[in-house]
Amino acid sequence: MERRNNNRNNETTSSSSSSSDDLVEGIPLFAKELIAGGVAGGVAKTIVAPLERLKILFQTRSEFHNIGLLASFRRIAKTEGLIGFYRGNGASVARIVPYAALHYMAYEQYRRQINDNFPGMGTGPVVDLLAGSLSGGTAVLFTYPLDLVRTKLAYQVVDTPKLNIKGAIVRDQAFRGIKDCFLRTYKEAGMRGLYRGVAPSLYGIFPYSGLKFYFYEEMKSHVPDDYKKNIMVKLACGSIAGLLGQTFTYPLDVVRRQMQVQRLRSSNSQQLKGTMGTLILIVQKEGWKHLFSGLSINYMKVVPSVAIGFTVYDTMKMYLRVPPRDKAIDEVATNKRENQASPLPSSQSAS
């Protein structure tokens, strides 16, 4: 009797595992990459959310920049509590999940397209640079309004116990959440308002995203085969890649934040005109050092964020049984050949 029960349990376990295996295997390759990228982005962004809030305040509010990191940390903790460090994080996660999903999936797709159409380029870091740049631009264009909303929510500084937004317009300026911020921005300036600051974002994301993937894949190529699956090695490669990529492109990130929160400033503040105009104005008013304001916080944020992102992405790909890149390219090429050849038998039989 016990043997029968054990056999039944084993059959049930094996059947459930096989059904889950079939379910995973039935997911298209691009969907697996979307899922892996979305999970990686959401996990990484949530972990570093407090540092992201501090970075935005450093970039856009001189009173925080002047008092320093620790004093800013204490001020938020005193006036807003723990929830203050996650102000705007809902919009941030709502943006980063589709952004990261599109970013990683588009990177893999662009990489395969480049290898398929330009086989002479090989599969080296230059391909990673091109594919990373294009995928970053694609993801930004689709998700930028959510980044704008996230920045506006994070820009708000709340005095306890009542909502009193300092340094903003006198009228009621406190956004009640993602939807309220989105609708009010659209009502004030339409689609143009939702894409305010997108130009410096694109200027920054093309080199940043490309360099990030370039450095990551280049460093991984020098790692011995025995250590390539080691999580600590991936974390180290991802950290250095994110740090180097961010350093080269950080001033454009400051310009983008300044343009995003321009309408939240007092009416007597100087009008910002375009990417170069804003960059020049920042240098004239606050000095070139302000172009790197919050960079130290960004280093603290980027190191774990990019490292966790790459590591979780690779782990999710293993869980979802995404084939290695070379094998995936072969599978896509085989599917293309099969799709092109499939009409031939039917046409021959019809003749």
Side-chain angles (χ1 to χ4, degrees):
M1 194 71 178
E2 289 181 1
R3 286 182 181 178
R4 287 180 183 176
N5 290 334
N6 289 334
N7 289 335
R8 286 176 184 172
N9 291 334
N10 291 333
E11 287 174 3
T12 304
T13 304
S14 61
S15 62
S16 61
S17 62
S18 62
S19 62
S20 62
D21 291 345
D22 293 339
L23 182 64
V24 170
E25 292 297 334
I27 301 174
L29 180 61
F30 79 91
K32 290 180 180 179
E33 291 163 352
L34 280 171
I35 294 169
V39 171
V43 170
K45 183 60 70 176
T46 301
I47 290 174
V48 300
L51 290 171
E52 179 71 13
R53 174 90 201 281
L54 281 171
K55 187 197 77 168
I56 290 174
L57 292 173
F58 258 62
Q59 289 176 331
T60 58
R61 287 182 172 274
S62 58
E63 65 265 31
F64 282 90
H65 180 252
N66 293 335
I67 64 176
L69 177 60
L70 290 177
S72 298
F73 188 91
R74 285 193 293 267
R75 177 175 171 178
I76 294 173
K78 182 179 179 181
T79 59
E80 302 181 50
L82 179 63
I83 197 170
F85 292 103
Y86 288 88
R87 187 173 298 282
N89 188 53
S92 183
V93 172
R95 166 196 167 263
I96 201 63
V97 169
Y99 172 83
L102 280 170
H103 190 20
Y104 284 106
M105 186 274 291
Y107 164 73
E108 303 287 0
Q109 294 291 333
Y110 281 129
R111 202 176 190 279
R112 283 193 283 269
Q113 290 296 322
I114 292 170
N115 288 324
D116 191 28
N117 296 307
F118 305 97
M121 293 185 66
T123 57
V126 176
V127 175
D128 296 312
L129 182 67
L130 288 172
S133 298
L134 292 171
S135 65
T138 301
V140 163
L141 286 174
F142 277 96
T143 61
Y144 185 79
L146 284 168
D147 182 53
L148 181 89
V149 168
R150 182 273 303 257
T151 301
K152 286 190 172 187
L153 290 172
Y155 178 77
Q156 295 182 148
V157 180
V158 180
D159 263 350
T160 307
K162 55 186 179 180
L163 293 175
N164 178 20
I165 313 303
K166 293 183 177 179
I169 302 171
V170 177
R171 59 187 173 147
D172 179 24
Q173 192 65 45
F175 297 113
R176 293 188 293 273
I178 298 171
K179 184 179 178 181
D180 180 57
C181 184
F182 186 91
L183 291 175
R184 283 169 62 176
T185 303
Y186 181 77
K187 187 177 179 180
E188 287 176 6
M191 287 299 295
R192 190 172 182 177
L194 291 173
Y195 277 88
R196 185 171 190 82
V198 73
S201 292
L202 289 173
Y203 299 154
I205 199 63
F206 277 119
Y208 170 67
S209 181
L211 288 169
K212 181 177 72 173
F213 279 102
Y214 173 89
F215 287 128
Y216 182 67
E217 297 297 334
E218 176 67 12
M219 285 187 292
K220 280 206 311 182
S221 67
H222 295 288
V223 175
D225 292 337
D226 294 340
Y227 295 94
K228 283 191 174 178
K229 291 186 178 180
N230 188 289
I231 289 179
M232 294 306 297
V233 171
K234 290 180 180 179
L235 285 170
C237 291
S239 300
I240 297 170
L243 188 143
L244 291 174
Q246 189 71 193
T247 302
F248 288 115
T249 60
Y250 189 78
L252 288 168
D253 189 48
V254 175
V255 171
R256 171 170 62 106
R257 300 298 185 195
Q258 294 278 4
M259 292 178 72
Q260 286 178 335
V261 300
Q262 180 182 350
R263 286 181 175 272
L264 300 181
R265 296 179 182 276
S266 56
S267 57
N268 59 358
S269 62
Q270 194 165 351
Q271 194 76 5
L272 304 178
K273 296 182 179 179
T275 303
M276 286 305 299
T278 303
L279 192 145
I280 293 169
L281 185 63
I282 292 171
V283 173
Q284 288 176 343
K285 286 185 65 178
E286 306 188 53
W288 66 268
K289 287 185 178 180
H290 194 77
L291 293 174
F292 294 90
S293 178
L295 183 58
S296 58
I297 300 175
N298 213 46
Y299 281 152
M300 295 166 62
K301 177 182 80 80
V302 164
V303 168
S305 179
V306 177
I308 292 166
F310 274 125
T311 304
V312 173
Y313 178 64
D314 285 343
T315 304
M316 285 298 297
K317 285 203 301 181
M318 290 173 59
Y319 176 77
L320 294 170
R321 298 181 184 83
V322 175
R325 288 198 178 110
D326 294 337
K327 190 177 177 183
I329 292 170
D330 293 338
E331 283 186 9
V332 171
T334 303
N335 291 335
K336 275 188 177 180
R337 286 194 296 270
E338 288 176 355
N339 291 334
Q340 290 171 356
S342 58
L344 292 176
S346 59
S347 61
Q348 288 173 355
S349 61
S351 62

